[in-house]
Amino acid sequence: MKILLCLSIVLTALLAPAQHLVKQETFDAIATEYSGEAAQENTRRIVEYHRIQGSPMMASVAEQVVLPRLKAAGLEAKIEQFVSDGKTKYGTYTSPMGWDMRGGELWIESVAGAKDFKPIMLCRYTDVPMCVSTYSKGGEWSGELVDVGSGTSDTSYQNVDVRGKVALASGYAANVVREAVLRHGAAGVVIYPAAGDRPDHPDMVRYNGIWPRAEELEKTSGGFQISRNQYDMLKSLMRQGAVRVHGKIDATLGPGKLTLVHAYIRGTEHPEREVLITGHLDHPKWSANDNASGSGAMIEAARTLQTLIAAKKLPSPKLTIHFMWVPEYFGTMAYVSNHPELKFCNNFYQPAANDPPCILANINMDMVGEDTVKTNSRFYFTRTPDSVPFFINAIMNDVLGQTREASLYALTGTRNYWQPEAIPYAQGSDHDVFLGLGIPSTMLGHDPDWTHHTSEDKIDKTDASEFRRVGTFATAAVWFMATADPPAWKKVRTGAYADRVQELARRMAEDATIHRDSPNKGSLKNREELGDQSDYLESMAARGDVQAHTRGGQASTSGPRRLTLLPLDASVFDSAGPDDAKWLSEQEARFASDSEGLATRPNFALISFEAVNFMNGRRSTGEIADLLSAEYLVDIDQAWVDRLVNILEKQKLVAK
Ligand SMILES: [Zn+2]
């Protein structure tokens, strides 16, 4: 009965004429000021730079494009730098070395020793910047090509000798160089697309990096990427006899800096509380949607709000709006490592006078400007995992609905139909870091996208209309959170409970087919929480207030506590003993997602992230197992969580 009442409230809310969280007048002011063309033009400037994390080119784009545009718009803005030297760690991530890149070429110099062979060019950095593996060591080498398959494990080298030769491999460049060059003495590497990887685009080149650590500097080498068609040509030449290639790279690896840009619109009532909007500024030259688009869209968002405030069309916000352009993961990890005070704003809907500085929410923009027809893609925002408060989902849903209703296009953009979607938490960008601090965070992006991390992700794949829609959506959502008054937060909480009831009902329906005969503890947990959330929703509807947290799983026991930032770098498992390594690889296999883009099923990286994020010292491992089972509709028991805790405890990442 209770659930029926709840559903009727939800349905009434859905059917009622739109009463959006953001006042229509405010939304319209933002949508009118925000220019899709300006965001696209920012993007066009950014893609001229080879923006590699820790490199001087990253500092150049920050100093020459982002900062001047913010200052020209009248914003308070500054640059911040952190050490990046291939050995300093932020969380479990080792910062990359600085890489000063000037040029590179790869040629076929001979086939089967034929004297009259005319050299064939395979790569030239000035033509296709992505064809030189990033963080390649400068130098010149030549040798016979040896195809080693994936080239990422010892078995690839059992029957071939690559010493002094050039490894031709399909694995990720960093892993191939570690095996082929560091362990087996190859002179350099050439990376080709793995079988079945987007075979319908045979001329594009993929983005690959070598990521040497400081201690590998002496022995590391350089690499190149070739297209599927180039690989086919090489294979046919190799059938005629030995194929020798010649690589030449003009670059310097050494200590560098991670460069971040900040812009602030200071809050008038609670300047110490922030709504944080992030986007990674790095990636190879050309790379447009990933993520010059998010960076360009953020410059325009900051300009839009600053302009509207200066013109008195909008008041100054109550909380501070903080825009932050980062080197992906490394810059964000460095920033939060250097600001240990950063926490989620508890009692977010009722700030007290002397609250410590905090972050209310994070919106991370990564790949936001797609021409969805050209990239065969759709726009999404990610919902929160259960380990953090979920109110942001209701806000994003509501503002997204408002953005759809507005039917926004740019004058020079496409008329592509807009089909945005709210999707479960998916990993892979800087929102992960903030979620790992307990801060509600969402990623805005597009997926799938066949151009992702390839030489085809260029400015011609962007669309001013998409920039205008996504930019308006993000700006309006940020504005709402930075200005909401208590009655507005009450509306959010009603929406948040309603959203949670829907989510739990969805899980129960799906779970009923998975655990039909024997519901597990997770099934019961979802049922129990559905009851609680329904009560909150009813109380909100009846009295307009309720004393409860918008969060499931409040425990009062004691349990493991994590000691490091999330996410965990994969290298933390490198030193696991044979038993642990076996268990870890079984979990990788059990929870696998074979998607090319965002994971479509909960994989081990996601489940272990969430497990560790639940480890706040107040939940037992049994409780955490139940929460994971409830969230992902899988069978995870206490022994499973205990095992993970034991492995992480040995690395001093978790304390019991
Ligand atoms: Zn990205």
Side-chain angles (χ1 to χ4, degrees):
M1 196 53 210
K2 192 176 283 169
I3 289 168
L4 274 182
L5 175 62
C6 279
L7 283 179
S8 75
I9 294 169
V10 171
L11 286 175
T12 318
L14 288 174
L15 296 172
Q19 286 278 327
H20 289 296
L21 294 171
V22 178
K23 275 194 210 129
Q24 198 55 43
E25 215 185 314
T26 304
F27 181 90
D28 292 343
I30 291 170
T32 304
E33 185 61 35
Y34 193 99
S35 160
E37 282 85 356
Q40 193 179 37
E41 179 61 13
N42 294 334
T43 304
R44 209 174 271 128
R45 293 281 82 82
I46 292 168
V47 301
E48 293 170 5
Y49 294 76
H50 204 48
R51 338 178 277 285
I52 304 303
Q53 287 132 311
S55 76
M57 294 85 87
M58 224 353 233
S60 303
V61 70
E63 284 157 10
Q64 292 163 18
V65 179
V66 182
L67 194 67
R69 285 178 178 238
L70 295 168
K71 295 240 161 138
L75 284 141
E76 174 194 340
K78 65 169 188 192
I79 281 178
E80 185 178 25
Q81 291 188 313
F82 300 104
V83 170
S84 191
D85 55 6
K87 55 184 184 219
T88 301
K89 279 192 164 196
Y90 300 109
T92 53
Y93 280 65
T94 303
S95 58
M97 303 196 74
W99 187 55
D100 195 358
M101 175 58 180
R102 295 172 293 271
E105 290 180 18
L106 178 69
W107 292 80
I108 306 173
E109 60 178 15
S110 74
V111 175
K115 297 241 159 28
D116 55 347
F117 182 78
K118 273 172 80 182
I120 300 172
M121 190 173 67
L122 291 170
C123 158
R124 183 159 61 188
Y125 172 74
T126 44
D127 299 345
V128 183
M130 230 173 258
C131 68
V132 180
S133 311
T134 54
Y135 305 103
S136 276
K137 187 176 172 178
E140 205 166 344
W141 40 258
S142 56
E144 183 190 337
L145 279 178
V146 183
D147 196 335
V148 292
S150 79
T152 54
S153 71
D154 210 42
T155 50
S156 304
Y157 302 86
Q158 261 163 16
N159 302 312
V160 290
D161 183 13
V162 293
R163 194 158 297 276
K165 299 178 181 170
V166 177
L168 182 61
S170 65
Y172 188 67
N175 305 326
V176 175
V177 167
R178 286 210 169 94
E179 281 297 328
V181 177
L182 300 189
R183 295 213 181 130
H184 294 92
V189 304
V190 176
I191 308 290
Y192 60 89
D197 179 6
R198 291 162 279 186
D200 40 345
H201 300 282
D203 285 318
M204 66 188 189
V205 168
R206 283 133 186 89
Y207 163 43
N208 260 244
I210 295 175
W211 306 94
R213 306 214 178 95
E215 76 265 18
E216 296 167 337
L217 181 58
E218 203 177 309
K219 289 179 86 181
T220 186
S221 185
F224 295 89
Q225 280 84 237
I226 58 170
S227 70
R228 164 63 48 182
N229 278 342
Q230 288 177 318
Y231 175 65
D232 290 345
M233 175 190 65
L234 280 177
K235 288 303 272 189
S236 76
L237 293 175
M238 285 163 85
R239 279 191 285 274
Q240 297 171 29
V243 172
R244 287 183 64 88
V245 293
H246 180 175
K248 187 179 171 185
I249 295 167
D250 180 15
T252 314
L253 282 168
K257 293 218 165 94
L258 293 163
T259 304
L260 288 76
V261 187
H262 301 276
Y264 301 92
I265 298 176
R266 299 287 176 185
T268 50
E269 280 181 30
H270 293 281
E272 75 290 352
R273 298 166 77 86
E274 275 184 10
V275 179
L276 177 64
I277 180 162
T278 52
H280 72 89
L281 181 57
D282 62 285
H283 264 10
K285 191 171 177 176
W286 290 7
S287 194
N289 277 314
D290 194 10
N291 184 36
S293 67
S295 302
M298 280 167 59
I299 298 173
E300 179 58 6
R303 187 205 65 82
T304 293
L305 290 178
Q306 184 72 17
T307 303
L308 290 170
I309 294 165
K312 303 220 167 358
K313 289 180 184 165
L314 290 181
S316 285
K318 295 178 186 184
L319 315 189
T320 294
I321 301 175
H322 178 187
F323 298 86
M324 185 162 92
W325 291 258
V326 295
E328 192 172 18
Y329 282 129
F330 300 100
T332 306
M333 301 286 253
Y335 177 75
V336 302
S337 302
N338 280 279
H339 294 275
E341 76 282 4
L342 292 176
K343 294 204 171 62
F344 169 58
C345 300
N346 274 317
N347 62 5
F348 58 91
Y349 47 87
Q350 235 159 19
N354 293 319
D355 278 351
C358 60
I359 299 175
L360 177 69
N362 163 245
I363 293 181
N364 182 52
M365 303 185 75
D366 195 349
M367 303 179 65
V368 301
E370 258 91 332
D371 179 328
T372 54
V373 169
K374 283 187 184 167
T375 60
N376 197 16
S377 189
R378 62 91 171 79
F379 174 72
Y380 68 82
F381 79 82
T382 58
R383 299 166 54 84
T384 49
D386 282 5
S387 56
V388 306
F390 54 74
F391 69 87
I392 192 172
N393 300 330
I395 297 171
M396 300 311 282
N397 266 329
D398 185 79
V399 183
L400 186 68
Q402 191 170 21
T403 310
R404 273 205 80 169
E405 285 160 25
S407 279
L408 300 173
Y409 298 96
L411 278 177
T412 67
T414 71
R415 289 264 152 184
N416 294 347
Y417 179 66
W418 203 44
Q419 201 161 25
E421 207 181 333
I423 65 167
Y425 169 46
Q427 303 191 294
S429 190
D430 299 280
H431 60 308
D432 299 342
V433 180
F434 297 102
L435 289 169
L437 294 173
I439 296 164
S441 183
T442 176
M443 167 165 66
L444 276 50
H446 287 79
D447 181 80
D449 175 348
W450 61 268
T451 72
H452 182 233
H453 283 184
T454 76
S455 54
E456 282 303 315
D457 177 5
K458 291 185 289 193
I459 194 75
D460 64 292
K461 307 300 188 307
T462 65
D463 172 13
S465 293
E466 194 70 354
F467 271 117
R468 182 159 180 232
R469 287 186 286 255
V470 178
T472 299
F473 167 47
T475 310
V478 166
W479 180 256
F480 174 79
M481 289 190 268
T483 57
D485 56 13
W489 279 117
K490 266 185 194 168
K491 270 199 199 173
V492 171
R493 287 155 70 206
T494 312
Y497 295 132
D499 181 84
R500 186 68 177 168
V501 164
Q502 281 180 305
E503 166 63 13
L504 291 162
R506 179 199 68 76
R507 282 184 199 175
M508 282 182 65
E510 201 176 317
D511 193 38
T513 62
I514 300 170
H515 295 107
R516 192 177 47 192
D517 301 320
S518 53
N520 66 10
K521 285 185 179 171
S523 318
L524 302 175
K525 193 136 203 114
N526 282 333
R527 187 179 302 173
E528 188 188 320
E529 197 197 330
L530 180 58
D532 291 345
Q533 298 291 350
S534 308
D535 286 346
Y536 303 150
L537 182 55
E538 276 191 57
S539 310
M540 285 299 290
R543 305 201 311 270
D545 199 8
V546 60
Q547 297 302 319
H549 286 276
T550 53
R551 183 188 343 205
Q554 296 297 310
S556 52
T557 47
S558 71
R561 183 168 49 87
R562 78 176 153 79
L563 304 171
T564 185
L565 294 171
L566 284 176
L568 299 177
D569 187 58
S571 67
V572 302
F573 297 126
D574 285 354
S575 53
D579 278 3
D580 288 344
K582 181 166 172 283
W583 184 82
L584 288 164
S585 71
E586 282 165 7
Q587 304 319 308
E588 294 275 4
R590 178 182 170 194
F591 302 111
S593 182
D594 51 5
S595 164
E596 200 172 81
L598 293 178
T600 50
R601 286 187 300 151
N603 56 23
F604 181 60
L606 178 75
I607 295 174
S608 55
F609 174 98
E610 184 70 338
V612 178
N613 215 22
F614 279 130
M615 293 177 192
N616 61 0
R618 299 190 303 278
R619 294 185 180 97
S620 68
T621 49
E623 169 87 2
I624 292 169
D626 297 350
L627 287 167
L628 294 171
S629 301
E631 184 166 5
Y632 299 116
L633 310 180
V634 293
D635 291 304
I636 284 179
D637 58 13
Q638 182 163 11
W640 191 96
V641 181
D642 284 334
R643 184 79 193 245
L644 184 65
V645 168
N646 278 328
I647 293 171
L648 295 171
E649 200 196 5
K650 288 177 200 161
Q651 315 282 329
K652 301 197 167 37
L653 301 171
V654 165
K656 268 199 249 183

